Amino acid sequence: MGVSYSKLFKLMIDRKIRKGELCKAAGISSGSLLKISKDENIYVDILARICGALDCDFSDIMEYVPDKNAVIKSEPSNRQLPDLQVGEPARVSEEV
């Protein structure tokens, strides 16, 4: 699973906003913007600050990019549910 922030940089070009200006307006570090430029994971509050500074929505600055190599399999659970009779209260295990 991945995220692309190419929409953010296109928006910055369209609005003629420099990286330093965005950092100052959004109150984020240049390190955060570097992570964004590498399409790395960042905290949602950083994205919210950017959206606030640019008056836009998350979908305007990022998009989900599915990982082509990831395979999601639904594996059956090996846990067994207790057999309950009608009207019998369920027993809760203390195991953690």
Side-chain angles (χ1 to χ4, degrees), residues 33-51:
L33 200 55
L34 180 62
K35 281 184 159 187
I36 291 170
S37 68
K38 294 179 180 180
D39 289 333
E40 294 179 3
N41 293 330
I42 59 170
Y43 292 109
V44 175
D45 68 316
I46 294 171
L47 296 173
R49 288 187 215 165
I50 293 170
C51 288

Side-chain angles (χ1 to χ4, degrees), residues 28-79:
I28 63 171
S29 70
S30 58
S32 293
L33 200 55
L34 180 62
K35 281 184 159 187
I36 291 170
S37 68
K38 294 179 180 180
D39 289 333
E40 294 179 3
N41 293 330
I42 59 170
Y43 292 109
V44 175
D45 68 316
I46 294 171
L47 296 173
R49 288 187 215 165
I50 293 170
C51 288
L54 297 176
D55 191 32
C56 65
D57 192 40
F58 289 143
S59 63
D60 296 325
I61 64 170
M62 61 185 282
E63 65 183 333
Y64 168 73
V65 180
D67 185 1
K68 295 176 183 174
N69 297 325
V71 177
I72 300 173
K73 292 196 290 186
S74 177
E75 296 182 20
S77 175
N78 60 358
R79 298 180 76 195

